[in-house]
Amino acid sequence: MASGSDRNPIIIGGLPSQVPDFDPEETQEWLDSLDAAVDERGRERARYLMLRLIERAREKRVAVPEMRSTDYVNTIPTKSEPFFPGNEEIERKVLNATRWNAAVMVSRAQRPGIGVGGHIATFASSASLYDVGFNHFFRGKDEGDGGDQVFFQGHASPGIYARAFLLDRLSEQNLDAFRQEKSKAPYGLSSYPHPRLMPDFWEFPTVSMGLGPIGAIYQARMNRYMQAREIADTSKSHVWAFLGDGEMDEPESLGQLSIAAREGLDNLTFVVNCNLQRLDGPVRGNGKVIQELESIFRGAGWNVIKLIWDRSWDPLLAQDRDGVLVNRMNTTPDGQFQTYATETGSYIREHFFGDDQRLRAMVENMTDDQILHLGRGGHDHRKIFAAFAAAKAHKGQPTVILAKTVKGWTLGPNFEGRNATHQMKKLTVDDLKGFRDRLHLPITDKELESGAPPYYHPGRKSEEIQYMHDRRMGLGGYVPTRVVRAKPLALPGDKTYASVKKGSGQQSIATTMAFVRLLKDLMRDKELGRRFVLIAPDEYRTFGMDSFFPSAKIYNPLGQQYESVDRELLLAYKESPTGQMLHDGISEAGCTASLIAAGSAYATHGEPLIPVYVFYSMFGFQRTGDQFWQMADQLARGFVLGATAGRTTLTGEGLQHADGHSQLLASTNPGCVAYDPAYGFEIAHIVQDGLRRMYGPDSEDVFYYLTVYNEPIQHPAEPENVDAEGIVKGIHRFSEGTSGSIPAQVIASGVAVPWAIEAQRILAEEWNVRADVWSATSWNELRREAVEVERHNLLHPEEEQRVPYVTRKLAGAQGPFVAVSDWMRSVPDQIARWVPGTYQSLGADGFGFADTRGAARRFFHIDAQSIVLGVLTELAKEGKVDRSVLKQAIDRYQLLDASAADPGAAGGDA
């Protein structure tokens, strides 16, 4: 196909400008020099030289335009297309069968009484893109490595299932159980790519739009990271992300393009299916989304390949000597191109070619039908192959392929290019007949008129099916496939945890620092240490983790090519190509994507990594909760640390930093095991149990979330008869009351446990109340276990009824129960129904604000004195103390005056 380069235009701001050449001989000498550099020294050297020339031109103030967009034609001209190695006739037959089965599967899922829906138009537009990938590019895992990582566009899943059916990976029963995962078990197919639901098939959950692109970027980077650190050989792995042009409006889709360019991730290819439509209408009706995306990607430093027209345009473009056709292509908006996709050949002749004699002359010998079938490049196997091959061969940059297609392609006039096509799920008999005819399938009218339309399989021994199997065997096995080859890790023994269990002595440290100290000891382990992946969003120093800089170092593929400003310090900032720490800048979304890629490496590459992601707790489940859901779906494992937790603990930061609800948000994620520990010895038991559950012999597909604080406190040594089981299950009695005659119970978590201990003292000394203090290390796990117990009892009434752990644990405790934490009351309220006695909770409900810790806690009435009032109030309700003591306590402790509270400890970021 002719391209802009064939006509020698200079592109300025995306528009062709015919700049005259006053010295063609000199021009040719420069071009010959560049050709020689490419031929003799390679493309990398030529690229470097070009960049230096541009740099020098700007130094000399030569007006060099930025080539942000090019003509609206294919990037790869026809003369540069490589030989197509496949059998296009057979591949068309395979694709036709796949197209049919994908559409029929969704249509059958809409039958009366079922009506579970599905989407057919997205795959219809991208089917050729996938088919070329399957036949010629996507590497499987049979060679023992991770193969390629392919992020399939979520709405295209019916097409992936349809292809798997032809390869005998799925049966008709599976296809008929699409979106009926429980009612048709064990044959059910998930609606979209969900590894948790189909753990042997799907690898990457992608249908939450925007998460596929950012996930692919950080997967490609994780591949390089694992290679650099000699954990796995990922040199052959290529990451492919199939995306939609409408999806690119999501901030996560484009927000991290720069890191891929900055780190030269040429192991990454985005394939953007530009069918010009969102779910309800055009992406850029008055504009050109391909041109817009080209500018964005070029500006971010990506290699851009546009795949716009199929081979039927080649003769017309070859005639376009003066650029009138390309100019028409450049200036026609997307909304009009969508209209052309739904109109007749005569309409296109009149409106696209008709108002310029030169354009009319180009098509005067073509019939209306031939004009109608002037196609888009995303449906042409040879053009697609050329684009994919160029992307794989390109070095030094990630590549994006912008492939123009028609949404609903081949589905017939009621579907193709229609605004409503995304929501159209059922084909009429007439639609099916037209679809069958277009695909040339041997299915009779009678089969289509009597009941549900049939699936089509050409036969296991047919030429088409054998071709498919041969292509996949040549590429290393079937895709998608998820394989877990990782072996359990040799986990460290109790000795590694001993130091943290000793407490902090006379020193006051935050629980964040207690965790960091434990992490240091774990990273010294010869077997386990190198597998830790430290991740933080530009906050390592805030969390007291700068001590890792000199030893673990910060990962940078280019190393450190400058002298650090703090190089003379013991904890100097150090970067290295083999660094262990991922310093992802101020991007929680990027960090979480790194977390997911590292946490699923045990399956992706057969080598387990142990990610430890530390962040401001407010910016975790609240800001990137969708990605944590993705993490659970992808069966990723690792530790997530919500540091600087609590509504009142992060003094001075105020409303947007004060987290009093992430534990509640974490409780909504079934893959998350969430804890709110108070002391170092609790952290030790939780982390040890987490390593066992996630990386031991009977590994589980969960991840651990620990909320830790920045308030310095003295950490006691582990009690002699520590209740290790209770710590892990969610509650243990930390301090038994020894004074006072009136029994009561205080349940606290995290930073609130020291307040409860102080309240215990006041209650005994001033109110004759003997209160036990319980540390609720996990309100969430207590509730989760209790819910499962109730579920079992509901369905097994004939069996002995089980009792929730929290109920059994508190069964012997006397008196009312008062729960307190630095969270909103909904967090401790999770266990209310299973506590065997009167229960009341205190919490920090409402927005946070900037003040001293003491004032904030007095305002929310969760400090020690407020706990005292809470216990007395419940005792008064039970008639165990006179109600008059309540007013006495309020007055004595000045509980209505926030300024009367002890300000508490200041500082202590870590």
Side-chain angles (χ1 to χ4, degrees):
M1 178 181 298
S3 73
S5 61
D6 294 324
R7 296 181 295 101
N8 297 321
I10 304 298
I11 306 300
I12 301 177
L15 298 174
S17 175
Q18 306 297 334
V19 178
D21 187 350
F22 295 112
D23 193 340
E25 290 185 11
E26 183 184 29
T27 302
Q28 192 59 48
E29 289 175 4
W30 279 83
L31 295 175
D32 290 344
S33 296
L34 178 61
D35 290 343
V38 173
D39 295 340
E40 296 174 16
R41 302 294 300 278
R43 292 178 178 175
E44 283 295 294
R45 175 61 179 167
R47 178 174 179 265
Y48 174 78
L49 292 172
M50 288 298 299
L51 291 173
R52 287 303 305 272
L53 283 171
I54 292 171
E55 182 181 46
R56 181 57 57 86
R58 287 174 178 164
E59 289 173 359
K60 298 292 185 180
R61 297 185 180 180
V62 177
V64 180
E66 294 185 15
M67 298 179 65
R68 290 173 295 176
S69 66
T70 58
D71 283 337
Y72 200 65
V73 294
N74 291 356
T75 301
I76 303 172
T78 304
K79 64 184 180 182
S80 299
E81 288 175 9
F83 170 74
F84 180 71
N87 185 319
E88 193 169 4
E89 181 182 354
I90 293 179
E91 291 187 16
R92 284 290 175 193
K93 290 180 179 179
V94 167
L95 184 56
N96 288 346
T98 305
R99 286 182 180 280
W100 175 266
N101 291 328
V104 165
M105 178 179 69
V106 174
S107 188
R108 287 168 70 117
Q110 280 297 100
R111 62 192 180 275
I114 301 296
V116 292
H119 300 280
I120 56 179
T122 292
F123 176 72
S125 65
S126 56
S128 297
L129 299 171
Y130 287 116
D131 206 52
V132 171
F134 279 121
N135 288 331
H136 302 285
F137 291 96
F138 303 157
R139 290 182 59 253
K141 298 175 181 287
D142 287 358
E143 294 179 9
D145 61 10
D148 284 356
Q149 289 80 57
V150 185
F151 289 70
F152 294 96
Q153 194 177 1
H155 290 113
S157 59
I160 313 306
Y161 291 141
R163 196 174 210 279
F165 164 69
L166 293 176
L167 289 166
D168 277 342
R169 301 184 65 204
L170 297 174
S171 66
E172 276 198 31
Q173 284 178 295
N174 291 125
L175 299 193
D176 270 346
F178 176 59
R179 293 192 170 194
Q180 300 153 73
E181 296 174 77
K182 301 301 181 183
S183 61
K184 294 293 179 66
Y187 302 104
L189 298 180
S190 63
S191 54
Y192 303 120
H194 293 302
R196 184 167 286 274
L197 301 176
M198 297 178 65
D200 298 326
F201 194 85
W202 295 115
E203 279 197 283
F204 306 105
T206 52
V207 81
S208 187
M209 292 190 183
L211 299 192
I214 194 171
I217 289 172
Y218 282 87
Q219 181 63 59
R221 187 214 198 186
M222 185 57 59
N223 289 0
R224 289 286 170 82
Y225 172 89
M226 295 181 74
Q227 181 81 23
R229 296 194 52 226
E230 298 182 347
I231 291 174
D233 181 2
T234 63
S235 59
K236 296 180 180 178
S237 291
H238 197 86
V239 178
W240 302 85
F242 286 80
L243 316 166
D245 48 357
E247 180 179 8
M248 304 314 287
D249 285 342
E250 287 285 4
E252 294 87 352
S253 296
L254 300 175
Q256 291 298 295
L257 296 184
S258 60
I259 190 174
R262 188 166 64 247
E263 299 197 5
L265 298 180
D266 50 25
N267 60 337
L268 170 66
T269 298
F270 276 15
V271 182
V272 184
N273 176 26
C274 298
N275 57 35
L276 312 186
Q277 287 185 232
R278 294 194 186 104
L279 305 188
D280 289 329
V283 180
R284 297 288 186 274
N286 293 323
K288 299 179 81 62
V289 70
I290 290 177
Q291 302 298 83
E292 178 183 322
L293 290 174
E294 179 186 23
S295 296
I296 292 170
F297 278 92
R298 283 192 190 281
W302 285 52
N303 175 46
V304 179
I305 298 174
K306 292 197 294 192
L307 174 59
I308 299 181
W309 307 115
D310 75 6
R311 72 192 75 172
S312 63
W313 288 91
D314 287 356
L316 299 180
L317 284 162
Q319 301 174 44
D320 190 29
R321 300 301 180 189
D322 53 7
V324 62
L325 177 57
V326 172
N327 183 64
R328 176 55 53 89
M329 292 170 169
N330 285 339
T331 56
T332 301
D334 285 352
Q336 190 62 42
F337 275 126
Q338 288 303 83
T339 299
Y340 293 143
T342 65
E343 283 291 347
T344 63
S346 60
Y347 179 94
I348 298 170
R349 184 192 299 274
E350 178 183 353
H351 291 84
F352 185 79
F353 296 99
D355 63 354
D356 189 295
Q357 178 58 40
R358 293 166 294 178
L359 289 175
R360 289 197 301 271
M362 286 184 184
V363 296
E364 63 184 0
N365 294 324
M366 295 179 65
T367 66
D368 287 347
D369 188 63
Q370 287 173 322
I371 291 175
L372 179 65
H373 288 93
L374 289 169
R376 299 183 180 181
H379 305 306
D380 187 321
H381 279 213
R382 292 178 182 270
K383 303 291 187 185
I384 296 168
F385 180 88
F388 281 23
K392 279 292 296 287
H394 189 77
K395 299 301 178 186
Q397 293 173 288
T399 294
V400 60
I401 297 171
L402 304 173
K404 187 176 181 181
T405 65
V406 176
K407 195 162 188 176
W409 181 244
T410 73
L411 291 175
N414 293 327
F415 284 80
E416 289 180 351
R418 303 292 176 181
N419 282 341
T421 190
H422 186 78
Q423 300 299 335
M424 298 169 70
K425 310 174 190 302
K426 192 172 179 62
L427 294 152
T428 67
V429 172
D430 287 341
D431 289 333
L432 288 166
K433 289 179 179 178
F435 188 32
R436 171 207 59 193
D437 293 344
R438 188 161 181 179
L439 300 179
H440 306 289
L441 298 178
I443 299 172
T444 66
D445 285 354
K446 183 177 181 181
E447 290 177 284
L448 299 179
E449 292 166 354
S450 56
Y455 297 113
Y456 173 69
H457 197 295
R460 289 179 174 84
K461 295 184 179 181
S462 66
E463 185 180 35
E464 302 96 299
I465 301 304
Q466 290 305 310
Y467 182 89
M468 293 176 73
H469 284 294
D470 289 345
R471 294 308 307 138
R472 289 316 312 159
M473 292 306 98
L475 287 166
Y478 300 105
V479 175
T481 298
R482 183 177 179 275
V483 178
V484 178
R485 296 192 178 104
K487 301 293 189 294
L489 296 178
L491 302 178
D494 294 343
K495 185 178 179 181
T496 303
Y497 303 89
S499 177
V500 175
K501 291 180 179 180
K502 290 178 182 178
S504 63
Q506 296 303 308
Q507 183 184 12
S508 292
I509 64 171
T511 47
T512 303
M513 185 54 67
F515 177 85
V516 169
R517 290 181 176 181
L518 174 59
L519 183 59
K520 283 182 180 177
D521 292 337
L522 288 168
M523 289 178 65
R524 291 190 184 102
D525 184 89
K526 292 182 179 179
E527 297 296 323
L528 207 67
R530 73 188 188 98
R531 296 188 181 274
F532 281 95
V533 181
L534 308 189
I535 306 167
D538 202 36
E539 292 280 4
Y540 278 117
R541 283 194 171 90
T542 298
F543 308 133
M545 298 178 71
D546 47 339
S547 58
F548 290 103
F549 288 166
S551 54
K553 299 184 179 62
I554 296 152
Y555 172 73
N556 186 327
L558 300 177
Q560 186 163 319
Q561 301 179 17
Y562 60 93
E563 285 189 322
S564 173
V565 68
D566 60 359
R567 63 190 179 279
E568 302 297 334
L569 300 180
L570 180 63
L571 304 182
Y573 192 89
K574 291 188 178 180
E575 298 180 78
S576 167
T578 58
Q580 195 164 356
M581 307 171 75
L582 294 178
H583 211 323
D584 283 344
I586 305 175
S587 173
E588 280 82 8
C591 290
T592 310
S594 286
L595 165 71
I596 296 169
S600 52
Y602 74 94
T604 309
H605 293 293
E607 290 288 348
L609 296 176
I610 308 172
V612 178
Y613 171 32
V614 190
F615 54 90
Y616 267 73
S617 63
M618 187 68 162
F619 308 140
F621 274 89
Q622 176 169 293
R623 173 170 273 184
T624 56
D626 196 13
Q627 285 178 283
F628 284 122
W629 195 261
Q630 177 192 21
M631 181 178 184
D633 195 350
Q634 197 163 316
L635 311 176
R637 304 165 184 172
F639 291 97
V640 178
L641 273 292
T644 61
R647 186 78 83 202
T648 68
T649 305
L650 189 59
T651 55
E653 291 289 351
L655 186 149
Q656 284 195 300
H657 287 68
D659 174 23
H661 53 278
S662 71
Q663 279 284 342
L664 193 65
L665 296 175
S667 73
T668 66
N669 190 317
C672 176
V673 182
Y675 286 92
D676 187 35
Y679 300 118
F681 74 88
E682 293 178 339
I683 292 173
H685 283 283
I686 292 165
V687 170
Q688 187 172 16
D689 183 65
L691 288 172
R692 175 191 62 80
R693 288 183 65 181
M694 294 186 288
Y695 300 97
D698 300 312
S699 57
E700 300 176 47
D701 298 317
V702 295
F703 66 95
Y704 271 51
Y705 177 54
L706 279 69
T707 43
V708 289
Y709 300 81
N710 74 324
E711 182 173 3
I713 60 171
Q714 289 186 2
H715 290 245
E718 178 179 277
E720 195 169 316
N721 297 315
V722 65
D723 180 6
E725 179 191 60
I727 292 172
V728 169
K729 286 186 175 292
I731 190 168
H732 68 106
R733 182 157 54 188
F734 174 68
S735 176
E736 189 172 355
T738 57
S739 300
S741 61
I742 306 172
Q745 311 296 320
V746 178
I747 308 173
S749 72
V751 76
V753 172
W755 319 338
I757 296 297
E758 174 63 9
Q760 180 188 50
R761 182 192 65 78
I762 297 172
L763 284 165
E765 293 178 0
E766 301 182 23
W767 305 98
N768 191 33
V769 175
R770 186 183 73 253
D772 294 342
V773 174
W774 300 77
S775 176
T777 52
S778 181
W779 310 98
N780 296 357
E781 286 301 290
L782 292 175
R783 178 188 182 277
R784 188 169 288 171
E785 188 269 349
V787 167
E788 184 55 37
V789 165
E790 286 198 346
R791 181 176 181 274
H792 178 273
N793 291 343
L794 177 70
L795 300 175
H796 301 87
E798 74 287 356
E799 296 181 8
E800 181 180 353
Q801 298 293 277
R802 298 177 182 176
V803 180
Y805 181 82
V806 64
T807 307
R808 289 184 279 119
K809 200 69 176 175
L810 300 175
Q814 298 180 51
F817 296 83
V818 174
V820 63
S821 72
D822 206 8
W823 307 97
M824 58 192 300
R825 294 185 185 200
S826 298
V827 175
D829 282 351
Q830 291 180 95
I831 68 169
R833 64 177 293 168
W834 299 289
V835 173
T838 304
Y839 185 83
Q840 179 60 273
S841 64
L842 305 176
D845 288 75
F847 288 114
F849 50 86
D851 211 314
T852 66
R853 291 182 176 122
R857 289 161 186 169
R858 178 60 53 87
F859 174 83
F860 285 116
H861 299 299
I862 55 176
D863 59 354
Q865 291 76 14
S866 297
I867 296 170
V868 169
L869 177 63
V871 171
L872 293 176
T873 299
E874 294 308 308
L875 288 171
K877 289 179 182 178
E878 295 182 359
K880 295 178 181 177
V881 301
D882 192 272
R883 287 193 61 82
S884 63
V885 305
L886 306 182
K887 184 65 166 61
Q888 295 175 33
I890 292 172
D891 292 341
R892 181 181 302 181
Y893 306 128
Q894 296 176 273
L895 295 182
L896 300 180
D897 183 3
S899 66
D902 184 327
D909 286 342

